Amino acid sequence: MEAVASPSMYGASLQPRLCRSSSITRRRPAITRPNVTDHFTTHITSNPRFKEFQQQLTTKLGEASSAVSIASQILLDAFVDSTFTFSHQSLRPTESNFAPVNEIGERTEIWRIEGTIPDDFPEGVYIRNGSNPLFGALHKVNSIFGQSEDIWVEGEGMLHALYFTKSGEGNTWSVSYNNRYVQSDTFRIERDRRKPCFLSMTKGDPPAMIAASILNMLRFGKVFRNMSNTSVFEHAERVFSVAENDIPYEIDLDNLGTLCSWVVDGQWNMPFTAHPKVAPESGELVIYGFNTVKPFLTIGVVSEDGKKLERKVDLKLERCTYCHEIGVTKMYNIIMDMPLTVDLTRILRGAPLIDFETESYARIGVMPRYGDADSVIWFDVEPFCILHLVNCFEENREVVIRGFRVPGSIITGITLEHTADEEPGNQGPNEESFPRLYEWRLDLKSRAVTVINNKYAGLHHKYAYAQVIDVQGTLEGGCGTVRPKFGGFAKLHLRDNNKVHVIDAQRFGSEPIAKITLLQRVPYGFHGTFIPRNTYKKT
């Protein structure tokens, strides 16, 4: 006879077996047994003492994990403090207006106004963003790994705002000024620690750059600071500060306070362009972000009310192009795939993180507004470097793109070569050192490209405005790395860094109709905009 196992011997997990004899196979009927394990578990977990023990265990494990994390952070901080030394980068005399200024933090009335602000001048805020290093200067970092340093675009973002308000009585103008840091997450870290913490890793010795990137990631969860120092834009009655290595931060325009980061209702949590574009007629916001790993470039379309990401497309690129700006027309997104690239592997070869690959290819993509990655029409063009577009539009079957081609070294700093027997004062940049206005005409039917390089050619749009450089003033300090000395639009007032000029756009070459003297100088910034009072939400 066959013995039958009972639950008391092996527990409820033992299943009925097939009963076999030499010639007959019989299946015993299924036996229903009580689930002793489940009953025991239910009894234990419902016990109040067990619940209390479970809560205490969870708390202790959390405290232990936190203690380990804190200990690791303390050890990493101690290693960095003992191994790395921060020092200030010095400025030449002609670069003095790159030096940071103090934060005011509140609106201050301006009384020194020469001339008259016109009655039909719009009420609103002229606001600029730019680099303003938090601890007095850009930094160099020395260690046993070598030296690394910040480049000229890496200071923390500071907003400068000039408010134009018309009083109800007498129709007179009131002008006030404020400046304030953009309080990104990394800004708050360094402000609270009262010292620079992020190690420079954009330029320098390869071992130092690699060590910096690893330690920044271990300590703060990111390789770079979130500077938010490049641009300001308005959408759906909200104002944002942005740099393309981070998401935007919403700004209270009345006091320049930082309200929150903007991820488009949780749908966009990745790098965000410094130059989003409003699509003609629809009012939608075309955005994009580039990254050092695939997908290298992502295009998005935000609804007119700013509440929804209508479209998000990962493009099929083979490299990370430093894409500072794309264009829009009524129907298309215009993508500039140029050989100014960001490549982390270059650090291992001792090359710059950002570099212009002179022997590489270039192309321009025309993408339907709501197209996918396969819908992009690519046009091969001569290799170029461009940061800013003038305009894009459709004309018959062509897409016309106008922008300024610039030297490939513009990001890391233009370097002028000279021989040992040359006098620095005689060495000037050649024609290749200057931006050139270009026009590309892309025939969507024939796929042909026509290029016009003539700044005197007639333009479909009547005017184009560009910021220019005082080259000789920049070179006075000697040759080497040149930081462009920015002036203004067309008419330069290079020694009036604390003045704002109101110019009649119909008489652009004439004297300013009003000169406003600020309480302090404003460093050379990157981008600004005028926001009429009736287009932004009051907080």
Side-chain angles (χ1 to χ4, degrees), residues 103-118:
E103 182 182 60
I104 294 177
E106 60 183 18
R107 288 168 62 167
T108 306
E109 198 77 13
I110 301 298
W111 300 105
R112 294 184 59 185
I113 302 176
E114 303 173 45
T116 304
I117 300 174

Side-chain angles (χ1 to χ4, degrees), residues 486-525:
F486 293 119
F489 287 107
K491 196 163 190 175
L492 307 183
H493 297 268
L494 296 174
R495 302 191 184 281
D496 292 338
N497 297 319
N498 66 331
K499 287 189 177 180
V500 175
H501 292 180
V502 179
I503 298 173
D504 185 347
Q506 301 301 317
R507 297 180 298 143
F508 207 73
S510 63
E511 284 293 313
I513 57 178
K515 297 181 181 180
I516 303 168
T517 302
L518 304 181
L519 301 176
Q520 63 178 32
R521 67 178 177 85
V522 175
Y524 302 127

Side-chain angles (χ1 to χ4, degrees), residues 11-13 33-46:
S13 61
R33 299 177 174 87
N35 194 321
V36 178
T37 302
D38 287 351
H39 177 73
F40 178 77
T41 302
T42 302
H43 172 72
I44 291 295
T45 55
S46 63

